[in-house]
Amino acid sequence: MTDRSNQLEVPDRTVNTLLEIVRKFGTPTYAFDMQRMRSQVEKLQTRLPAEVELLYSLKANASLGICDLFQECGIGADVASAGELATAIEAGFPAERIFVAGPFKLPETISQLQGAPQAVVSIDSPSEFRSLSDIGLRNPVVLRLRPDFGSCAVVPAGCDSRFGFTGEDLAACRKELAARELNVIGFHVFAGSQILDTEKAIDHLNRSVDLSLRAADVLGITATLINLGGGFGIPYGPSDEELDLDAIGAELSRLVDRAAPTRFVLELGRFLVAEAGWYLTSVVGHQTGQGRRAVVVDGGVHQRADMCGLGLRTAANPPVVLNASAAARTPTDVWGCLSLPDDILAESSLLPPLSAGSILAFANAGAYGIWSSPALFHGSPLPAEVAFDG
């Protein structure tokens, strides 16, 4: 089992802000640190080459307020649904900096694209290539390529992925390309999410460029845009290490020179917003299980589901107790409020004695929280979402 004895160091200022949010809005509540989001953008902009365009992936958290912030930071938007596209447009992202992906585009999405003709569309399969051509799509498009290499990501999308054109698909597609009017400008490769190994992240980027350049040769085109995916991870637990962005930036600079004048794009969601978020819950009762003490809180996995399969309940840092004394810590489970056996937010976390009203703050909750959870289970009310800026 992962050593979870390390406790997060949280500045007093942040603790006091979170407690103030709880006093005003109650629990369960999501709280988002706007300064942390800006710092994540700045970290990327100062370490990666300026020729690499950054996109915020709305699937991580499609809150309009958060999208407003990233638009103001000057980055683009990666969307995969009609709702996300509408949010990106409402947030003011320029159409030319909106990237529309996903294996199927709803009629609502197609209708919105007619009003945003500069948005780039990622095509997932030969059948989608034909259907979008048949309806006369005029947006620039890229073809998503299925990686021909394995993925090191926690959420992999490598050679066994369900997404993208295979090599055989491309060879067949070349025969149709000249006869159809789609404006194919490049390629899209996404090999997985939550990558924390710097060397393997660099390997993904190199292999994605190789695959894209080979695809351009197969089709007989010059790629002017390559979306290299991203998938940069963040440390959820005490054994996780941060990516070396300086090393990744240096490699991207070499790739930029190699493929010039092709534009590179990175789509990042978790890296930009996860560490800015807190999920705040209150202890409402006590229980025991498997020889350990347990507490019941007023939140649960209906609001913070582990959709990406990260093992948060056993591998993530213990929740921060915002209003507890420095008493001895013992292994404690944190159970949610649902009539669901698997509603467990933390397992065997080292926590001080807790009483009704103790506030638990789960860190790194800004990505894939309420936006990817079964929030309507039990007809539950939605939690508040509160931003704080300093």
Side-chain angles (χ1 to χ4, degrees), residues 1-7 238 287-295 311-319 321 329-336 343-352 354 360 362:
M1 182 178 292
T2 302
D3 179 9
R4 305 178 72 202
S5 59
N6 294 333
Q7 303 298 308
Q287 259 289 3
T288 57
Q290 299 184 353
R292 292 188 298 270
R293 70 180 185 181
V295 294
L312 295 178
R313 80 190 212 187
T314 56
N317 286 307
V321 186
R329 299 174 184 269
T330 58
T332 305
D333 290 355
V334 180
W335 297 348
D343 185 18
I344 301 172
L345 291 171
E347 187 175 305
S348 197
S349 286
L350 288 177
L351 297 172
L354 302 172
L360 303 186
F362 292 83

Side-chain angles (χ1 to χ4, degrees), residues 128-194:
E128 189 181 39
F129 177 85
R130 298 184 190 103
S131 64
L132 293 180
S133 174
D134 289 343
I135 65 173
L137 183 74
R138 291 293 176 261
N139 296 72
V141 303
V142 297
L143 306 184
R144 180 165 180 172
L145 305 176
R146 187 172 304 177
D148 59 355
F149 52 90
S151 171
C152 72
V154 175
V155 188
C159 51
D160 296 326
S161 169
R162 55 169 284 210
F163 301 110
F165 286 70
T166 65
E168 294 77 10
D169 292 335
L170 279 179
C173 186
R174 177 169 183 168
K175 301 174 183 178
E176 298 186 50
L177 192 61
R180 294 182 178 270
E181 296 183 0
L182 284 177
N183 178 22
V184 179
I185 65 169
F187 302 98
H188 175 202
V189 185
F190 188 89
S193 177
Q194 183 57 6

